[in-house]
């Protein structure tokens, strides 16, 4: 440590004051402003419903939706649990599968060459369009929902982990070589850890898609879950209930995304530094 | 310690072959500090990578400690321009990386890792992650990582060039101390005349296109040298001036200036080879 790397003592309190002021402003803009936006949107929604006297079948007022939460909160929570449960099983399978295939492919260049184009082509298929086919193959059980989730969220994990395994910076590669590291040593000590932040990019995408996959499955196969509530409530013109189910579904998506982000922050505290 | 004899290296580029180095003859004694200086693109990095065994030579031979270099070796350590630390490893674990790769016994070398970190003024930072350190501190960690292999030869490719001027000087002085303490043979590539004169027992000047050895200059200034006022100003000035000239004036073996620049003139460029070079 030296004089050169340390700020002058007189500069320190000033710098600190600047930083805490910046933190308050950052909190305001990261929490305060979005909250303001949501409140404004609710007010506009409410105002529009009241002003144009829109019939509740087309668009219920925010108050009506809030009322549904009050009256049928337990039901919604219960249904959300069904959705969450299947979605997480699907996501876990997708993550494990995508990850292991990516690792396997990174061990064999010819294998990667052979199957990677296939996976990229599959990735381009709009998975939602598979729903009717899967239904024919798998019937109406929860298996259909889980396969739907797996099919939609596996490839992002696979593709981004592969990308991460190919993204080792050249200077780290050269370092491993100059240290006479074996292929396995370079793989385990450099290449694989470097791929982890990329893998999390895939996982975050996958959890978002898993919610979509599960919702699509439930819309198609309205036995249980929030998607089926939307389908059934829509059919019986209970628009407020459908809205409430959609709100819960969205909240689920947001919370799951932040959960994955949180796991990443805990496991890879260094990752944001190299990304920035 | 290092014998470079008749070494050439040609790259097969997209626009034909690029002759990066031609017929380099150079020996570095055990414990010597050789600075290598030259303009951008004259093959300094290529020379280091040939000595490190990271690149094969096109012609000639490199020997380190009597053994020809064909691939990277444990007794040759490399310090790159960027610190190349593993961002998920603590400072201590980064320094211990070579020990792990070599499958040496961890316990003994951990002690030494602490000593090395202490020597470069990083005691107390062992548990930090690289992103929590300044650029200068990161480069010092990279230096410790190279030193822990107890290399016979340490090759440094512009290790301080990404740092600000003050940190550079500080690190150069520190490297000099490390060298005086451990007597490792060091080849140190730099763009900076000041650094070359501070650090080098000798300074090898390369000239560009193709890279050749222009001259090797002995720096007879007693150590420890420093950038301050008490330095041997006259000798430093003389050395610096001479290096400056060597770097600026065109190499004698090159054709005079208004000469076609397109790469068709290879035979023309070869012609004046008989003119004596400035090499001693
Ligand atoms: N892998 C490569 N393929 C093709 N040409 C290369 C390769 N590496 C280096 N060269 C060429 O060889 C010459 C010398 O390159 P080198 O990197 O050794 O120069 P340098 O002296 O280290 O330059 P700098 O001071 O900018 O780092 C350059 O003309 C460069 O274009
Ligand atoms: Mg270079």
């Amino acid at each position: 440590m030296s004089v050169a790397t340390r700020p002058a003592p007189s500069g320190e309190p000033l710098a600190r004051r600047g930083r805490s002021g910046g933190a308050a402003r950052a909190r305001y803009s990261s929490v305060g402003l979005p909250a303001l936006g949501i409140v404004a949107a609710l007010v506009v929604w409410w105002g529009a419903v009241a002003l144009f006297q829109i019939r509740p079948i087309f668009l219920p007022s925010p108050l009506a939706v809030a009322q549904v939460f009050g009256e049928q909160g337990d039901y919604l929570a219960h249904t959300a649990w069904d959705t969450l449960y299947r979605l997480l099983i699907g996501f876990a399978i997708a993550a494990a599968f995508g990850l292991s295939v990516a690792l396997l492919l990174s061990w064999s260049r010819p294998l990667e060459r052979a199957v990677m184009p296939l996976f990229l082509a599959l990735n381009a298929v709009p998975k939602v369009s598979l729903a009717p086919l899967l239904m024919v193959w798998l019937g109406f059980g929860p298996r259909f929902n889980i396969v739907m989730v797996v099919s939609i969220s596996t490839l992002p994990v696979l593709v981004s982990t592969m990308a991460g395994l190919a993204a080792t910076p050249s200077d780290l590669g050269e370092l491993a070589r100059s240290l006479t590291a074996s292929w396995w040593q370079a793989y385990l000590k450099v290449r694989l850890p470097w791929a982890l932040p990329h893998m999390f990019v895939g996982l975050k995408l996958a959890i978002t898609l898993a919610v979509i996959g599960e919702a699509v499955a439930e819309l198609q196969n309205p036995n249980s879950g929030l998607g089926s509530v939307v389908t059934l409530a829509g059919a019986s013109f209970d628009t407020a209930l459908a809205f409430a189910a959609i709100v819960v579904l969205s909240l689920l998506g947001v919370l799951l995304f932040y959960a994955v982000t949180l796991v990443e922050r805990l496991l890879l505290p260094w990752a944001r530094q190299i990304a920035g | 310690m290092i014998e470079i004899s008749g070494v050439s290296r040609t790259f097969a580029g997209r626009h034909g072959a690029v002759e990066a180095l031609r017929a380099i003859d150079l020996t570095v004694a055990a414990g010597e500090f050789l600075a290598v200086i030259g303009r951008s693109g004259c093959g300094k990095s290529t020379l280091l990578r040939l000595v490190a065994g990271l690149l094969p030579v096109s012609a000639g031979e490199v020997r380190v400690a009597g053994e020809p270099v064909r691939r990277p070796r444990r007794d040759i350590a490399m310090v790159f321009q960027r610190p190349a630390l593993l961002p998920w490893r603590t400072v201590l674990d980064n320094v211990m990386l070579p020990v792990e790769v070599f499958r040496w016994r961890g316990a003994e070398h951990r002690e030494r890792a602490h000593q090395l970190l202490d020597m470069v003024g990083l005691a107390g930072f062992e548990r930090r992650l690289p992103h929590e350190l300044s650029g200068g501190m990161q480069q010092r960690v990279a230096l410790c990582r190279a030193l822990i292999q107890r290399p016979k030869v340490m090759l440094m490719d512009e290790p301080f060039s990404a740092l600000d001027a003050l940190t550079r000087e500080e690190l150069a002085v520190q490297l000099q101390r490390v060298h005086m303490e451990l007597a490792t043979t060091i080849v140190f590539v730099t763009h900076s005349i000041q650094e070359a004169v501070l650090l080098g027992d000798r300074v090898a000047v390369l000239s560009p296109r193709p890279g050749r050895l222009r001259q090797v200059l002995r720096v007879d200034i007693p150590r420890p040298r420093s950038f301050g006022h008490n330095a041997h100003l006259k000798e430093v000035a003389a050395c610096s001036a001479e290096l400056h000239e060597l770097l600026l004036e065109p190499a004698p073996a090159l054709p005079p200036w208004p000469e076609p620049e397109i790469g068709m003139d290879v035979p023309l460029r070869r012609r004046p080879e008989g003119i004596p070079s400035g090499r001693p």
Side-chain angles (χ1 to χ4, degrees):
Chain A
M1 275 309 302
S2 66
V3 193
T5 55
R6 204 178 275 165
S10 63
E12 219 157 19
L14 234 179
R16 191 168 301 150
R17 207 178 311 141
R19 219 175 305 143
S20 71
R25 200 170 312 132
R27 206 173 312 127
Y28 169 70
S29 66
S30 76
V31 179
L33 288 180
L36 204 67
I38 291 172
V39 170
L42 285 174
V43 168
V44 170
W45 175 7
W46 201 338
V49 169
L51 194 65
F52 302 114
Q53 306 200 324
I54 300 173
R55 290 167 59 198
I57 288 182
F58 295 120
L59 185 62
S61 77
L63 199 65
V65 176
Q67 230 162 10
V68 172
F69 279 112
E71 287 161 8
Q72 307 190 53
D74 282 353
Y75 169 62
L76 281 172
H78 190 77
T79 332
W81 176 248
D82 286 343
T83 299
L84 181 67
Y85 177 71
R86 282 191 300 257
L87 182 167
L88 284 180
I89 290 180
F91 174 73
I93 294 174
F97 187 63
L99 208 69
S100 18
V101 173
L103 293 183
L104 209 71
L105 292 187
S106 69
W107 294 334
S108 156
R109 216 66 225 278
L111 191 63
E112 182 195 333
R113 287 265 164 78
V115 298
M116 210 48 204
L118 179 70
F119 281 125
L120 289 176
L122 279 180
N123 199 20
V125 174
K127 254 63 79 189
V128 176
S129 66
L130 293 179
L133 273 179
L134 288 176
M135 191 99 129
V136 171
W137 294 333
L138 297 166
F140 291 93
R143 257 199 318 171
F144 164 71
N145 299 43
I146 291 172
V147 169
M148 193 68 211
V149 171
V150 172
S151 78
I152 202 171
S153 52
T154 299
L155 284 165
V157 181
L158 172 75
V159 171
S160 53
T161 307
M162 288 297 297
L165 286 167
T168 315
S170 59
D171 51 352
L172 293 188
E174 191 145 77
L175 170 72
R177 232 153 60 74
S178 80
L179 287 176
T180 68
S182 67
W183 186 90
W184 266 110
Q185 283 177 324
Y187 188 85
L188 290 177
K189 290 184 194 301
V190 179
R191 215 172 139 202
L192 190 60
W194 190 269
L196 292 179
H198 296 259
M199 181 192 81
F200 265 97
V201 171
L203 287 177
K204 282 187 260 185
L205 195 57
I207 195 74
T208 314
L209 289 172
V211 176
I212 294 176
E214 176 63 25
V216 168
E218 289 171 358
L219 290 172
Q220 290 278 320
N221 173 23
N223 282 333
S224 68
L226 292 164
S228 68
V229 173
V230 176
T231 304
L232 299 178
S236 58
F237 301 104
D238 190 351
T239 319
L241 180 59
F243 262 74
I246 291 171
V247 167
V248 178
L249 211 46
S250 320
L251 279 178
L252 210 59
V254 172
L255 288 179
L256 286 170
F257 179 83
Y258 279 112
V260 176
T261 309
L262 188 68
V263 171
E264 181 189 17
R265 294 252 172 103
L266 292 177
L267 290 182
L268 316 176
W270 48 272
R272 282 204 304 161
Q273 303 304 321
I274 61 167
Chain B
M1 180 60 73
I2 308 175
E3 298 152 71
I4 301 169
S5 32
V7 162
S8 301
R9 171 71 208 195
T10 306
F11 290 105
R14 242 182 309 162
H15 309 289
V18 179
E19 194 177 12
L21 288 173
R22 182 192 288 178
I24 306 285
D25 286 303
L26 188 62
T27 56
V28 186
E32 187 178 357
F33 196 122
L34 179 79
V36 177
I37 197 166
R39 295 213 207 165
S40 190
C42 70
K44 306 183 295 295
S45 300
T46 305
L47 184 64
L48 274 200
R49 298 175 75 228
L50 291 174
V51 177
L54 288 166
L55 268 181
V57 294
S58 301
E61 192 184 46
V62 178
R63 289 168 167 269
V64 169
E67 288 279 312
V69 176
R70 296 188 214 287
R71 60 185 67 83
R73 283 166 35 177
R74 291 182 181 185
D75 56 352
I76 305 175
M78 195 76 181
V79 177
F80 301 94
Q81 182 170 358
R82 299 204 302 152
L85 301 178
L86 302 180
W88 51 88
R89 283 179 171 241
T90 62
V91 166
L92 185 66
D93 289 344
N94 263 294
V95 175
M96 291 294 284
L97 179 70
V99 175
E100 286 174 31
V101 171
F102 300 164
R103 300 186 202 288
W104 286 349
R105 298 238 346 231
E108 303 159 20
H109 291 87
R110 199 168 301 271
E111 186 60 32
R112 182 166 153 76
H114 281 289
Q115 283 169 10
L116 288 171
L117 286 169
D118 203 17
M119 184 169 70
V120 300
L122 284 177
F125 288 90
E126 291 87 350
R127 297 266 141 246
R128 301 286 187 93
L129 288 173
H131 72 257
E132 297 169 317
L133 306 183
S134 70
M137 293 157 91
Q138 291 183 15
Q139 200 53 280
R140 278 182 267 189
V141 176
L143 178 65
C144 291
R145 180 180 60 195
L147 289 171
I148 202 164
Q149 5 182 159
R150 292 185 189 279
K152 292 196 179 116
V153 167
M154 186 157 70
L155 307 170
M156 309 182 77
D157 192 355
E158 304 186 33
F160 306 149
S161 62
L163 307 172
D164 67 84
L166 279 176
T167 313
R168 284 180 81 131
E169 291 187 5
E170 194 194 343
L171 281 192
V173 169
Q174 199 161 50
L175 177 63
Q176 176 181 231
R177 233 186 32 235
V178 168
H179 176 243
M180 288 168 68
E181 219 162 289
L182 303 179
T184 311
T185 311
I186 297 179
V187 181
F188 182 96
V189 166
T190 178
H191 274 134
S192 152
I193 292 177
Q194 212 192 9
E195 245 169 43
V197 174
L198 178 89
L199 288 169
D201 294 318
R202 289 187 302 157
V203 181
V205 182
L206 294 187
S207 64
R209 252 169 291 265
R212 280 155 306 160
L213 193 59
R214 180 90 161 78
Q215 193 160 58
V216 181
L217 200 75
R218 181 164 291 286
V219 183
D220 279 320
I221 304 171
R223 292 184 190 277
R225 302 172 190 160
S226 71
F227 288 110
H229 267 305
N230 54 353
H232 297 244
L233 285 178
K234 241 167 73 190
E235 288 91 332
V236 171
C239 269
S240 304
E242 190 155 0
L243 286 172
H244 217 117
E245 298 253 295
L246 285 169
L247 287 170
L248 283 182
E249 79 188 31
L254 277 182
W257 249 139
E259 184 74 22
E261 263 296 283
I262 322 296
M264 313 284 281
D265 55 346
V266 181
L268 268 182
R269 292 206 166 190
R270 287 241 174 89
R271 194 183 45 192
E273 200 125 280
I275 298 174
S277 76
R279 211 185 301 157

